[in-house]
Amino acid sequence: MADKIGVYFDLANIGGGVDVQNLADEAAKKWGDLICLTKLLPNLAESVDEISRDIAEQGLDGVLLCGSSPRVDPERYRFPVMVDFVNLREQCVLSYKNPDGSAFIPGDQAPAALQGLALDYVQMGVAKMQKGSLPDSAAITATPRILVIGGGWTGLTAALEASSMDYDVVLVEKDRELGGAVRTMPEASPLGPLWEDKCPTNLQDKIDAVQKNSRITVYLESQMAKLEGQPGEYIAHIATKSGEKEEKIGTVILATGWVPLDQKYLAPMGLGSNPKVVTAAEFGKMLVKGEALPKRVAFVLDTTIAKDAIAKQAEEEAKAKEAAEAEQASAEAPAAEGEEAPAYVKADLESFKHLEYSNAVNSVGMLRLANTLCEKTGDASQSYILYKNMTVPGILERFYKKMQDRLGVMMTKADVTAIKDGGNGVVVECKNTLLGHDFDLEVDLVVLPTGLVPTTAKEVTVQFAYRQGPEFPDLELFDGYADSNYICFPYETRRTGVYAAGCVRQPLTLDACEVDARGAVLKAVQCLEAAGRGVAVHPRALDNSYPIFNFVRCTQCKRCTEECPFGALDDDEKGTPKPNPARCRRCGTCFGACPERVISFANYNIDQIGSMIRQVQVPADFKKDGPRVLILACENDAYPALDMAGMRRRSWSPYCRVIPVRCLGSVNAIWISDAMSKGFDGVMLLGCKYGDDYQCHFIKGSEICNRRMQNIAETLNRLGVQPERVEQLEVAIDEYDKVPDMIDGFVRRIVALGPNPFKGM
Amino acid sequence: MSNAILVVGGGFSGLTAAIEAAELGHDVYIVEKSPWLGGRVAQLNKYFPKLCPPSCGLEIQFQRIRKNPRIHVLTMAEVVGLSGQKGDYNVRVAIKPRKTPPHNVDFTFLASSLDGTTPSEFDLGLSERKGLYKAMPFAYPARYVLDTDTLSKADMARLAANEKLNMDEEPREVSLQVGAIVVATGWKPYDVTNLSNLGAGSVKNCVSNMQLERLASPFGPTQGNIVRPSDGRIPHNVAFVQCAGSRDQNHLNFCSYICCMATLKHCLYLAEQHPQTEVTVFYIDLRAPGRYVKVLEKVQALPNVHFIKGKVANVEQGKDNTCVIQAEDAIRGEKLTLNYDMVVLATGMQPSLATEKLPLPVPVDSDGFITGGEEAGIYACGCALMPLDVTRSAQSGTAAALKAVQTVKGR
C-alpha cells in the first residue's frame, strides 16, 4: 500500500484550459497525508531528475504522473517505487466534447464538465495507487532441464539446440529408434541457401550428435504417462519398456510430429485396393530400401476425386444418421445423472482436411521424390507431376525451377478425373491440362500425396495432470494441430511452459522444422528462467505480480479453476484451488470468476478497482448534469483504441469514466454492483473480439466475460435494475474511428432508460 | 567481450528477435532506419488468415519493449561501421536528428497548420504528408519527426519560435559493444516502374498490393475506403495480377510467398466493402500453403470472385481511366482483352539488401537474400533471408534470437 504519494502534473501535455492547480489542490485536500507533495511541472519529460530527488528526499513510495497516456514514452519514468499514470491527454482533453454534443474549442478555461472529468481521473489515480503495492515475485528454484517429446527431425534439432544453451535434455521417443519420418526420406528438399538443390538429410549425423551428447538423456520406446507440476518444477512420468520413470524437468518442447492420414480417405483413388497406387511416404520407403523401381511414375497432387467421394459419403452418412436418430428419439432413455465424471475421452480429429493442409509439403515432396527416382534409375525413368496448384511457396521456387528444367520430370496442371487399371499398369485420366488437350497417362505406379495428421489430433501426447484435463484445450479449433490464433506469436499452446514445434503445429518442410525447433527452444529456456525469477511470460512478460488467494473465505466453488484460460489452477480433493504461479499469465480471469473475492494481485485487485469506481463524483440530478457511465476497457486493444481515437480528435460523451482492466476476463461482478450502488447509470465492458476468430490476448477472457453476463443480468433483475444498463461490446484495436460512436450509442441508450434507480440512495 | 546483441531492423522479425533475447536477460539494441518501429506490417490493414489488425500484435510487442529496460531502441539510425570479431564487436551507428524531444507534446495542430508537403512514403505516394509528422497512430516511439526539407518558408517562420522543437539538432554517432548481431533488414515492395509491360506505375488506377493495403487502412489516405485513386469512385470490377515481378528471372527469381494470400485477403476486403464489385484474379498457381487452404476455399466460394489461370501480358491505360488487360487463359488457350475499373498488381517482396549494402560481413545471393554470416556470429532472419509471412517471420526471429544468445551466453 502506498502511503507517501507524489502527484506530478505535466503542464506541457494537459492543456484544454484545465485548471491544473485546482486538480492539485482538490487531490491534496481529499487525501491529506497520503499525498506528500503535488507539483505542476512545465515539462514532465525534463523533470526526471527532480522526481528522483523527491523520491529520495521525501521518501515517496508512489509517483503519480498526470498528463499524457501511459503508452507515451513511459520508459523515461522508471523509478524504484510504484509509478502510475493518469491519462489527462488522449482520453480526457483530446477526446472531450461538450455535454450537448458540440465540439470543444479549447480556451483559457475548461468547461465544468471537462474540469470534473479530469478531477475524477486524478482522484481515481490516487485511489488506485493507494490500494496497490509493489509485488514480491513468486520465484521458484527451476530445474534446468528441458523435456523434448518426440525424437524426429524437429525433436533432434531441439535437443541439440537446448544442449547448446547449456541445459540438460530429456528426449522421449515412442519408436525403437530416433529419426521419425525422416528415416523414410531418401533425400531432403533444400535445407539452406541457395535453395536450389536437394540435400542429403544426414540424419545419422544428427542422431549420433544426440546420442554422444552427455547432456541429453534419450528414452526410446517411451511415451508420456503424466506431466505434473508447473514450469520450472514439472515432474515428467515417462512410461518406458522397463516401467515408469520420473524426471524432474523445467519446460517442455512438443515435437511429436505427424502420422500418415488413414488410407481410407484416398481409397476412391485406388489406395489400398490397387497395389500400383501408393502414397509419397510409402514411395519414399521404396526408394530408401532400394527396391526395383518403376519406369514411369505419375505423382498426382490433385485429389479432387477423393475429396468429392468423401464429401458424398459424409452426406449419405449424415442422412442415415438423421433417419436413425429420428427412429430412436422416442425410445431413448435419459442419461443417468449424479454419476462420477467419466474418464477423459480423446476425440479423433483426423480428417481429409489434413491432406489438403499438407499441400506445400507434398508439392515440394513430389519434386524431391521425382528427382531421386531419376537419379536412382540413372535417368531411365520418367516422372509426371500432375497438379492443380503447385504449392511451392517462397524461396523453394528455385528448387521448383530447377526441377522444371530436369530431364525426366514432366509437370502439368491437370484435373485428374480417374485412376484405373489399363495396359500393363495404371491409367491416369487428365483433363484441363496446359498441353491444350485431355489425355490418358499410362504409368507403372501412381504416387499420391501423404496427409500429415498431427499426433495431437489422434492421441493425448503430453498427459497433463491438470484440473482441466490431460489435453491441450480447443484443439478442434485448429483441426488438431497444437496451435493458437496468434499470428504474431507462434508458440502459444495455452499450457504455459509447453511449446509445440514442427509438424505437430503445422505441416512444414524440414528446413522450417529446424527453424521452428530453435524458436521453441528459446521459448522453453525463457519460460524456465522466468519461473526461476517468478515473472510471467508472453504477453505480460516480466510481470512479477501473481494471484494471491485468501483461502479462509474460499467456498470451493471451483469457478476459478474451471475458467483459467491457461489451466493454471489445480485443486485438492475438497476443491480448494491450488495455484501454480509459474503457469499463470496474470490476466486476472480467476479473480473475475470469484464470487467471494478471495483472489487478488498486489498491484491489481477487486478492492482497488472498486475504490476507483467510488471516487467518481456522480451528480444527483440526472436531467441537469447527465448520466454517468463506467467503461471497463481491456488494456490490450480497447484502451489503445481509445487513446488513438483521442489522438485523432474523435470525441465521446463526457459522462464516461474509463478504467483499464487487464482483460475483460478479470471483470468481477462486484464492480458492476459497486458502480450501480454508487449511482452510475450504465456500465460498458469494452474488450476484444471473441469466438472462433478470437482476438483476446488471453484467448478466452472476453468470451468468459460474455458468458458471465447472463448471471450479471439476473442479479441486476433481482435488484430491480434493468439489465440493459450493462453491455459488453467488442472492439478491435484499429476501430478507433468507430469506438466513440459505440460509446455514444450506449450513452444514448442509457439516457433513454433514465436514471439508475439506486442513484442518490 | 559483450553479452549484448545488436538487431539491425525494427520490423516484425527484428522486434521479435530483440524482445525474445531481452526477455532472456540480454541487453539488446534495435537499430531502425525509419523513425518508428514496425516495418512493413505497420502498413498493413489486416493479417491473413483471420483478418485481425497488425497493430494489435505490434501493441503487444511495444508493451513488451516499454516494460523491458534491457531493450534500447535507436530509430532513424543506421549501422555505419563494424570492427572486432564474433563475441566482441564494436558497432558504429549514425543517428539522424528527429528534431522533436522525447515524450513530446501533441503536435497535431501545429503539424496541420503547415503547408509544405511531400508524397507520403508510408502511404506509398497515395497521400501527401507535412514536414512535421507521425506516420501512424500507434507509432513507437509515440513521437513526431521534423523533416525540415519539406517545410515551406512560411513553415520555417511558423516553427522558428517553437521552443519544443530542436530545429538545430545535429546528426550524431554512437558506438555499441555487442557480442552477436541479428540482421532483420526485411524487404520492400518490388519497384513497379521496372514492370514496363504492366504499366510501369503510370496507368491510373493500377495500384500495387501494398497500396491497396493503405487504401483499406482506417488511417490510410481514404480512411479505409477502397476506391479508385483517380476519382474516388467505387470500382465495379477489379483485376488482380498475380506474380507481378515474382517467379520471373528478369525480375524476382523466386516466389514471394505472401502475394497469393494477400490477394485472397484483398478479395475479402472487397467482398465486405463492395459486395457488388466483380473481381478477377489472374494467376499462375494459387499458393495457399497449409491451413491457409481454408482462406482459398472461402474466397473461391464468393460469387463475385473469378479465377483465371494465365499470365497477364499487358496493362494499359483505357478510356475513363479504366485499365485494359491483355492476358492469356492458359487452360483454354484463349487470348483475352478486358477492361477494369481498377487493377491491383500483386507485386512481390524484394529483400532490402538487393539495393542497399550493410557494412557487415554478410554474403548475399544474386537476389539480395542473405546466405551466411553464422561463423561471424551474425544471424539473419525474416525476409532478409527468404520471403515469409508474419507467423514464419516471428518463428525466424525467435530462432535467430536463440543463435545470437548461444553466441554471447556466459560472456
Side-chain angles (χ1 to χ4, degrees):
Chain A
M1 294 260 188
D3 53 19
K4 291 182 113 178
I5 300 176
V7 185
Y8 297 86
F9 293 89
D10 180 9
L11 295 180
N13 277 307
I14 298 177
V18 171
D19 182 348
V20 179
Q21 187 62 54
N22 170 264
L23 298 180
D25 293 345
E26 288 292 322
K29 196 162 85 192
K30 166 140 214 165
W31 300 98
D33 289 347
L34 178 66
I35 294 184
C36 252
L37 60 85
T38 59
K39 279 190 179 177
L40 277 56
L41 302 168
N43 188 354
L44 183 68
E46 289 168 3
S47 309
V48 174
D49 293 342
E50 185 180 342
I51 298 170
S52 291
R53 271 199 309 278
D54 289 346
I55 292 169
E57 288 168 10
Q58 312 253 1
L60 301 181
D61 58 5
V63 168
L64 192 61
L65 307 174
C66 310
S68 62
S69 161
R71 294 172 58 260
V72 181
D73 284 353
E75 49 275 61
R76 288 187 72 76
Y77 310 102
R78 289 195 175 111
F79 301 114
V81 296
M82 265 192 278
V83 178
D84 212 338
F85 298 83
V86 174
N87 186 342
L88 295 182
R89 187 168 88 172
E90 285 78 357
Q91 295 188 26
C92 183
V93 172
L94 294 185
S95 53
Y96 176 79
K97 68 177 167 195
N98 294 316
D100 63 6
S102 62
F104 167 53
I105 297 150
D108 291 341
Q109 203 187 338
L114 175 56
Q115 187 71 26
L117 179 66
L119 182 59
D120 275 354
Y121 278 138
V122 173
Q123 305 291 34
M124 289 158 82
V126 179
K128 183 181 178 197
M129 190 158 268
Q130 186 200 22
K131 298 287 182 176
S133 52
L134 287 177
D136 303 320
S137 63
I140 54 175
T141 306
T143 308
R145 189 178 298 128
I146 290 171
L147 171 69
V148 177
I149 311 175
W153 191 252
T154 306
L156 291 169
T157 308
L160 290 169
E161 294 286 5
S163 73
S164 298
M165 288 290 281
D166 301 338
Y167 279 87
D168 288 340
V169 176
V170 174
L171 178 64
V172 175
E173 166 57 44
K174 202 167 151 181
D175 219 332
R176 258 186 302 181
E177 47 189 328
L178 296 171
V182 181
R183 277 188 290 133
T184 63
M185 285 189 195
E187 281 170 318
S189 45
L191 294 174
L194 301 163
W195 307 100
E196 288 173 348
D197 294 307
K198 46 100 186 170
C199 282
T201 62
N202 293 330
L203 176 65
Q204 198 54 48
D205 294 353
K206 227 175 188 131
I207 294 172
D208 289 348
V210 164
Q211 283 171 334
K212 283 181 195 144
N213 191 314
S214 60
R215 283 195 176 276
I216 305 175
T217 309
V218 179
Y219 286 96
L220 293 173
E221 293 183 85
S222 302
Q223 304 185 53
M224 288 300 293
K226 191 160 75 173
L227 181 73
E228 63 179 344
Q230 60 174 345
E233 46 188 34
Y234 274 124
I235 296 170
H237 299 254
I238 304 164
T240 73
K241 263 179 81 179
S242 52
E244 196 168 295
K245 298 276 164 58
E246 278 185 23
E247 290 275 7
K248 286 185 174 177
I249 51 141
T251 47
V252 183
I253 292 168
L254 179 72
T256 45
W258 56 280
V259 292
L261 182 78
D262 192 306
Q263 66 175 21
K264 73 179 181 195
Y265 292 98
L266 285 170
M269 298 182 79
L271 190 64
S273 56
N274 188 336
K276 286 171 181 162
V277 177
V278 299
T279 64
E282 287 162 349
F283 187 61
K285 279 183 209 164
M286 289 169 65
L287 289 169
V288 170
K289 279 190 198 151
E291 288 175 4
L293 294 169
K295 283 274 164 7
R296 292 166 59 85
V297 178
F299 294 90
V300 178
L301 280 163
D302 177 19
T303 52
T304 312
I305 302 175
K307 188 180 183 178
D308 291 348
I310 300 283
K312 201 172 158 194
Q313 195 185 326
E315 206 176 295
E316 280 164 10
E317 277 171 12
K319 260 189 214 159
K321 199 178 160 200
E322 211 174 284
E325 271 173 8
E327 233 169 77
Q328 273 186 1
S330 52
E332 212 165 305
E337 270 180 44
E339 307 222 336
E340 286 219 348
Y344 179 81
V345 182
K346 167 83 183 168
D348 186 350
L349 298 170
E350 178 176 358
S351 80
F352 188 77
K353 285 182 195 164
H354 291 116
L355 181 68
E356 298 181 284
Y357 300 155
S358 308
N359 57 358
V361 171
N362 277 304
S363 292
V364 177
M366 296 297 197
L367 294 174
R368 173 171 59 76
L369 291 170
N371 181 59
T372 310
L373 175 66
C374 291
E375 284 183 359
K376 291 233 171 186
T377 57
D379 283 332
S381 62
Q382 181 67 46
S383 297
Y384 304 89
I385 299 181
L386 306 166
Y387 60 88
K388 208 164 200 130
N389 284 298
M390 201 63 196
T391 311
V392 190
I395 201 78
L396 289 173
E397 171 81 6
R398 291 182 182 164
F399 177 51
Y400 176 38
K401 281 217 157 137
K402 195 138 186 183
M403 290 303 107
Q404 279 178 323
D405 295 339
R406 199 192 193 300
L407 216 66
V409 182
M410 201 285 265
M411 308 184 203
T412 179
K413 177 194 179 324
D415 294 345
V416 172
T417 48
I419 295 174
K420 55 202 175 192
D421 280 323
N424 296 321
V426 201
V427 173
V428 182
E429 194 179 276
C430 300
K431 290 192 171 141
N432 294 324
T433 72
L434 295 177
L435 309 181
H437 56 89
D438 301 344
F439 56 83
D440 286 352
L441 189 66
E442 197 186 319
V443 291
D444 305 324
L445 189 75
V446 168
V447 178
L448 299 178
T450 304
L452 278 61
V453 182
T455 44
T456 39
K458 299 290 290 178
E459 57 191 80
V460 183
T461 49
V462 180
Q463 299 286 3
F464 294 99
Y466 280 26
R467 161 77 173 79
Q468 291 182 355
E471 186 55 292
F472 294 101
D474 281 348
L475 280 172
E476 64 283 357
L477 267 187
F478 311 103
D479 301 294
Y481 294 95
D483 208 344
S484 77
N485 261 5
Y486 276 123
I487 287 165
C488 34
F489 182 68
Y491 296 101
E492 181 61 67
T493 62
R494 284 178 68 192
R495 288 295 174 255
T496 311
V498 180
Y499 300 95
C503 294
V504 73
R505 202 166 66 68
Q506 55 177 279
L508 294 170
T509 47
L510 296 186
D511 58 309
C513 285
E514 287 186 321
V515 173
D516 207 18
R518 287 188 200 115
V521 169
L522 184 127
K523 295 307 296 180
V525 171
Q526 203 184 58
C527 181
L528 207 162
E529 298 200 352
R533 284 187 287 150
V535 299
V537 293
H538 185 275
R540 293 187 64 86
L542 309 188
D543 183 355
N544 62 350
S545 69
Y546 60 95
I548 300 160
F549 290 73
N550 177 1
F551 290 117
V552 181
R553 297 209 319 266
C554 172
T555 60
Q556 285 95 21
C557 75
K558 301 183 185 180
R559 280 181 214 164
C560 57
T561 58
E562 281 163 7
E563 291 196 347
C564 173
F566 302 95
L569 301 164
D570 293 330
D571 52 14
D572 66 11
E573 283 160 14
K574 279 197 284 180
T576 308
K578 179 188 176 302
N580 293 285
R583 287 190 211 159
C584 171
R585 302 290 186 84
R586 283 73 170 170
C587 60
T589 296
C590 52
F591 86 48
C594 182
E596 299 298 320
R597 303 180 294 283
V598 309
I599 312 170
S600 62
F601 292 82
N603 53 3
Y604 182 53
N605 54 67
I606 305 282
D607 182 30
Q608 182 185 44
I609 305 295
S611 302
M612 291 173 77
I613 292 170
R614 287 188 290 274
Q615 283 311 314
V616 175
Q617 289 300 313
V618 178
D621 192 337
F622 180 92
K623 269 220 165 109
K624 183 167 149 270
D625 300 314
R628 284 297 177 272
V629 168
L630 175 68
I631 301 178
L632 296 169
C634 163
E635 67 180 16
N636 301 296
D637 277 1
Y639 191 85
L642 290 170
D643 261 4
M644 290 188 263
M647 274 182 235
R648 291 163 70 77
R649 298 296 193 277
R650 305 294 192 268
S651 55
W652 58 83
S653 164
Y655 299 132
C656 297
R657 302 293 181 267
V658 178
I659 296 179
V661 296
R662 286 190 182 180
C663 174
L664 281 196
S666 73
V667 170
N668 191 291
I670 192 76
W671 295 340
I672 291 163
S673 309
D674 285 345
M676 287 302 158
S677 45
K678 175 75 189 171
F680 272 96
D681 303 289
V683 179
M684 181 171 173
L685 308 175
L686 202 54
C688 304
K689 312 222 162 194
Y690 52 87
D692 287 359
D693 283 352
Y694 63 81
Q695 291 176 14
C696 175
H697 295 58
F698 297 102
I699 300 177
K700 286 283 163 184
S702 52
E703 184 176 320
I704 286 169
C705 179
N706 182 254
R707 268 192 261 139
R708 292 178 191 152
M709 291 296 283
Q710 183 88 34
N711 288 333
I712 288 172
E714 282 165 19
T715 310
L716 291 175
N717 259 331
R718 268 204 305 277
L719 294 172
V721 174
Q722 301 95 319
E724 296 81 18
R725 292 189 183 276
V726 184
E727 258 186 56
Q728 179 179 351
L729 289 120
E730 294 172 275
V731 65
I733 196 168
D734 63 348
E735 289 178 325
Y736 29 76
D737 288 350
K738 290 183 195 158
V739 71
D741 293 339
M742 290 163 68
I743 294 174
D744 286 350
F746 181 66
V747 172
R748 271 196 302 278
R749 292 194 286 281
I750 293 300
V751 169
L753 278 176
N756 165 8
F758 283 102
K759 201 183 279 281
M761 282 169 76
Chain B
M1 291 306 214
S2 167
N3 72 357
I5 295 166
L6 168 72
V7 176
V8 185
F12 211 86
S13 313
L15 283 177
T16 303
I19 295 165
E20 297 295 353
E23 285 177 7
L24 250 181
H26 291 270
D27 278 304
V28 178
Y29 299 92
I30 302 176
V31 171
E32 165 58 40
K33 198 165 70 173
S34 88
W36 301 282
L37 300 182
R40 291 290 161 201
V41 300
Q43 289 175 296
L44 303 178
N45 175 41
K46 298 277 158 92
Y47 284 154
F48 54 77
K50 301 257 176 216
L51 301 188
C52 50
S55 47
C56 165
L58 286 174
E59 178 74 18
I60 299 188
Q61 304 298 51
F62 297 160
Q63 286 291 5
R64 291 165 85 187
I65 292 176
R66 287 177 193 125
K67 285 175 183 157
N68 195 330
R70 293 202 178 273
I71 304 177
H72 313 275
V73 178
L74 304 171
T75 48
M76 305 182 76
E78 281 184 78
V79 175
V80 289
L82 178 81
S83 59
Q85 63 274 311
K86 179 178 178 173
D88 192 13
Y89 280 119
N90 182 290
V91 187
R92 281 189 301 118
V93 178
I95 304 173
K96 286 186 187 140
R98 181 181 279 268
K99 301 185 181 176
T100 58
H103 198 165
N104 60 215
V105 297
D106 179 53
F107 287 120
T108 318
F109 281 127
L110 183 61
S112 62
S113 73
L114 304 180
D115 48 33
T117 63
T118 192
S120 159
E121 306 86 349
F122 193 83
D123 281 343
L124 300 133
L126 290 171
S127 72
E128 295 278 310
R129 68 158 173 83
K130 302 291 177 82
L132 181 62
Y133 70 109
K134 191 169 76 172
M136 52 203 119
F138 49 83
Y140 184 97
R143 291 179 212 160
Y144 276 72
V145 60
L146 179 62
D147 153 30
T148 40
D149 292 347
T150 301
L151 298 176
S152 66
K153 268 197 182 151
D155 289 345
M156 288 294 240
R158 268 183 208 112
L159 298 184
N162 193 305
E163 56 193 24
K164 293 286 191 304
L165 297 169
N166 311 327
M167 297 284 273
D168 305 322
E169 189 183 337
E170 294 288 328
R172 61 196 173 99
E173 217 174 90
V174 295
S175 64
L176 309 171
Q177 309 300 318
V178 299
I181 300 174
V182 173
V183 181
T185 41
W187 63 282
K188 55 185 175 182
Y190 187 62
D191 185 353
V192 289
T193 60
N194 293 331
L195 303 169
S196 48
N197 61 320
L198 300 180
S202 66
V203 175
K204 280 182 189 167
N205 299 321
C206 177
V207 299
S208 72
N209 48 5
M210 282 301 278
Q211 285 178 314
L212 192 78
E213 288 290 337
R214 296 311 306 139
L215 288 173
S217 166
F219 68 101
T222 54
Q223 282 74 52
N225 297 313
I226 302 176
V227 292
R228 303 209 308 175
S230 73
D231 53 12
R233 189 165 71 70
I234 293 170
H236 296 307
N237 56 1
V238 178
F240 286 86
V241 179
Q242 296 307 111
C243 301
S246 298
R247 303 182 69 181
D248 184 334
Q249 59 191 8
N250 297 318
H251 299 284
L252 304 173
N253 196 20
F254 50 88
C255 156
S256 295
Y257 196 96
I258 54 154
C259 338
C260 282
M261 292 309 301
T263 291
L264 295 175
K265 176 179 69 169
H266 294 161
C267 291
L268 294 171
Y269 292 175
L270 283 164
E272 195 199 340
Q273 273 196 25
H274 312 310
Q276 306 302 321
T277 297
E278 296 282 335
V279 177
T280 308
V281 180
F282 293 90
Y283 70 96
I284 308 176
D285 288 291
L286 287 170
R287 290 182 167 168
R291 273 180 289 155
Y292 293 151
V293 165
K294 285 197 264 193
V295 183
L296 176 60
E297 286 174 355
K298 189 172 171 185
V299 175
Q300 282 174 327
L302 293 173
N304 288 355
V305 180
H306 318 282
F307 293 91
I308 296 178
K309 185 175 168 80
K311 257 208 122 148
V312 170
N314 253 308
V315 180
E316 281 171 6
Q317 189 73 62
K319 261 192 211 163
D320 302 327
N321 290 330
T322 58
C323 314
V324 183
I325 279 188
Q326 285 186 313
E328 191 193 1
D329 183 329
I331 307 291
R332 294 187 181 154
E334 288 170 3
K335 288 230 157 47
L336 306 167
T337 302
L338 297 159
N339 234 354
Y340 294 94
D341 280 349
M342 193 165 160
V343 167
V344 182
L345 302 179
T347 45
M349 43 165 79
Q350 183 170 42
S352 304
L353 298 187
T355 52
E356 298 160 42
K357 290 268 174 296
L358 269 188
L360 301 176
V362 281
V364 296
D365 65 23
S366 55
D367 282 310
F369 290 113
I370 295 175
T371 58
E374 294 87 351
E375 55 299 323
I378 302 178
Y379 307 97
C381 66
C383 299
L385 205 53
M386 62 175 80
L388 293 172
D389 63 6
V390 178
T391 302
R392 290 199 56 193
S393 295
Q395 276 173 267
S396 174
T398 314
L402 180 84
K403 298 313 285 182
V405 169
Q406 284 174 348
T407 307
V408 300
K409 75 181 154 49
R411 287 183 200 275

